């Protein structure tokens, strides 16, 4: 007989990722509003660079969230 038990509770991390994603999306929206009102080219470029960085972070967070969701769907218990 052989028994192999393993598991990992990622609930806290998943909830944290969701919170961070919401905060990043709100920041991105605010930056878009700022960029619309900016008139100086230098200001537009500065905001654009920050927006690109935040959008990159958003994609990373979404990827990690998808990974956890797919991992949960693939988890199995065998007896």
């Amino acid at each position: 007989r052989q028994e192999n038990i393993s598991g990992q509770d990622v609930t806290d991390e998943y909830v944290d990722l969701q919170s961070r994603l919401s905060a990043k999306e709100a920041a991105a929206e605010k930056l878009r509003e700022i960029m619309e009102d900016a008139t100086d080219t230098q200001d537009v470029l500065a905001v654009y660079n920050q927006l690109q960085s935040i959008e990159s972070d958003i994609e990373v967070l979404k990827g990690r969230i998808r990974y956890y969701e797919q991992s949960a769907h693939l988890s199995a218990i065998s007896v």
Side-chain angles (χ1 to χ4, degrees):
R1 291 185 180 190
Q2 184 180 27
E3 182 177 356
N4 183 2
I5 300 173
S6 65
Q8 182 181 6
D9 185 4
V10 294
T11 305
D12 289 342
E13 187 171 349
Y14 183 82
V15 170
D16 180 56
L17 289 172
Q18 291 284 3
S19 297
R20 289 171 49 200
L21 178 60
S22 294
K24 292 281 185 182
E25 288 175 334
E29 183 59 34
K30 193 64 164 171
L31 284 171
R32 286 186 197 96
E33 291 173 12
I34 292 169
M35 195 161 65
E36 286 178 12
D37 295 336
T39 55
D40 184 36
T41 304
Q42 189 174 13
D43 293 341
V44 171
L45 288 174
V47 173
Y48 177 78
N49 287 333
Q50 288 181 325
L51 184 57
Q52 291 294 71
S53 176
I54 287 178
E55 288 179 341
S56 175
D57 292 345
I58 287 171
E59 290 306 312
V60 169
L61 290 170
K62 285 181 176 180
R64 290 181 67 192
I65 289 168
R66 276 193 303 272
Y67 170 77
Y68 284 133
E69 289 173 347
Q70 290 173 354
S71 294
H73 290 292
L74 295 175
S75 62
I77 298 175
S78 300
V79 179

